[in-house]
Amino acid sequence: MSQVVFSAQTRANKGSLEARKLRRLGRIPAVIYGRKSDPISIDLDQRDFMNGIKGISESTIVKVDINGKICEAFVKATQRDIKDGAVLHVDFYEIEGNTPLRARVSLNLHGNPIGVREGGILETPLRDIEVECLPKDMPERLDVDISSLKANQSIHVRDLSLGSGVKLITNPDMVVALVKFAKVEAAPVEAAESEIEADAAAPAAAGDKKPEKDKEKEK
């Protein structure tokens, strides 16, 4: 996948009024900040951003072209309208090539587990993990093949294959995927039949016992 490039321009005016004007013009107000540099207020073309952001995760490094100056950054956060999902604001985090950084890398689970084909239930409690590395070593995502998972088997974070120079931050004992069988409960019909048999046996047992008065007559 080729690196996504967003074209942007600096904006001098700030505030909610200016932001609304930009949105009416089809622009998205944004800011790009880093560890050492001061935040820069920018704006982006809304259509270009919506097309470019498809498939991007927190660990995807993009390029931001600000008036001809290229910066590499993460799309750190997007603020959306709760009504229609339109992007209202974007935060970019500028990276430095020789400085290690932390990011969350999404997990792409693929394959149909053996245990599921045999009647088991697949659980996937973890969707991403946190790692630390240089920007050049940062994976966009981690592909995890779960097709060989059998019943009562699991894959943990420690089992994942990370690239060279990538340090794991997430707890290695956390479960990524597991297959387990559901507990088999007694069938309702069988339980009902057992109750009927018990009720039928009770009167018969009671009938075997003669009243005390009848015993005296027999004497």
Side-chain angles (χ1 to χ4, degrees), residues 177-198:
L178 73 155
V179 176
K180 62 181 183 181
F181 280 112
K183 293 182 179 179
V184 179
E185 298 181 357
V189 175
E190 294 179 358
E193 289 177 351
S194 299
E195 291 178 1
I196 292 172
E197 292 175 359

Side-chain angles (χ1 to χ4, degrees), residues 85-139:
V87 176
L88 302 176
H89 191 275
V90 182
D91 286 355
F92 290 97
Y93 181 78
E94 186 178 6
I95 62 174
E96 301 170 45
N98 59 350
T99 302
L101 50 86
R102 291 187 180 186
R104 303 201 70 84
V105 179
S106 60
L107 302 175
N108 177 42
L109 309 183
H110 61 88
N112 186 14
I114 295 173
V116 171
R117 298 199 298 271
E118 294 176 346
I121 299 173
L122 174 66
E123 294 187 1
T124 55
L126 206 59
R127 292 299 181 183
D128 55 41
I129 61 171
E130 187 176 16
V131 300
E132 182 180 81
C133 62
L134 293 174
K136 66 180 182 65
D137 298 323
M138 181 66 67

Side-chain angles (χ1 to χ4, degrees), residues 5-195:
V5 180
F6 293 118
S7 295
Q9 59 188 28
T10 55
R11 56 188 174 98
N13 298 325
K14 303 177 184 177
S16 57
L17 181 61
E18 182 64 23
R20 286 195 292 268
K21 288 181 181 179
L22 286 171
R23 295 184 192 111
R24 285 196 295 268
L25 295 172
R27 309 287 294 178
I28 301 175
V31 63
I32 182 167
Y33 61 93
R35 228 166 40 94
K36 297 180 179 179
S37 57
D38 294 330
I40 302 173
S41 297
I42 59 176
D43 61 80
L44 314 151
D45 181 82
Q46 185 180 43
R47 183 177 297 178
D48 288 345
F49 180 78
M50 295 306 295
N51 289 333
I53 200 175
K54 294 176 182 177
I56 286 179
S57 68
E58 186 182 333
S59 62
T60 303
I61 299 175
V62 302
K63 290 183 178 180
V64 184
D65 183 344
I66 308 173
N67 299 335
K69 179 185 176 182
I70 302 295
C71 298
E72 288 194 314
F74 291 132
V75 178
K76 199 65 177 176
T78 55
Q79 180 187 348
R80 293 178 178 268
D81 191 311
I82 59 173
K83 295 180 180 179
D84 56 14
V87 176
L88 302 176
H89 191 275
V90 182
D91 286 355
F92 290 97
Y93 181 78
E94 186 178 6
I95 62 174
E96 301 170 45
N98 59 350
T99 302
L101 50 86
R102 291 187 180 186
R104 303 201 70 84
V105 179
S106 60
L107 302 175
N108 177 42
L109 309 183
H110 61 88
N112 186 14
I114 295 173
V116 171
R117 298 199 298 271
E118 294 176 346
I121 299 173
L122 174 66
E123 294 187 1
T124 55
L126 206 59
R127 292 299 181 183
D128 55 41
I129 61 171
E130 187 176 16
V131 300
E132 182 180 81
C133 62
L134 293 174
K136 66 180 182 65
D137 298 323
M138 181 66 67
E140 282 195 37
R141 66 178 186 180
L142 291 174
D143 292 321
V144 185
D145 184 1
I146 60 174
S147 57
S148 62
L149 270 182
K150 298 180 180 179
N152 300 320
Q153 287 187 342
S154 58
I155 296 176
H156 295 80
V157 171
R158 61 175 175 269
D159 302 319
L160 301 178
S161 178
L162 302 178
S164 176
V166 180
K167 177 184 176 183
L168 180 64
I169 302 300
T170 299
N171 186 338
D173 294 327
M174 293 187 70
V175 175
V176 173
L178 73 155
V179 176
K180 62 181 183 181
F181 280 112
K183 293 182 179 179
V184 179
E185 298 181 357
V189 175
E190 294 179 358
E193 289 177 351
S194 299
E195 291 178 1

Side-chain angles (χ1 to χ4, degrees), residues 209-219:
K209 186 177 180 181
K210 294 183 178 181
E212 295 294 330
K213 291 181 180 180
D214 292 342
K215 289 181 179 181
E216 292 178 358
K217 289 179 179 180
E218 290 177 359
K219 292 179 180 178

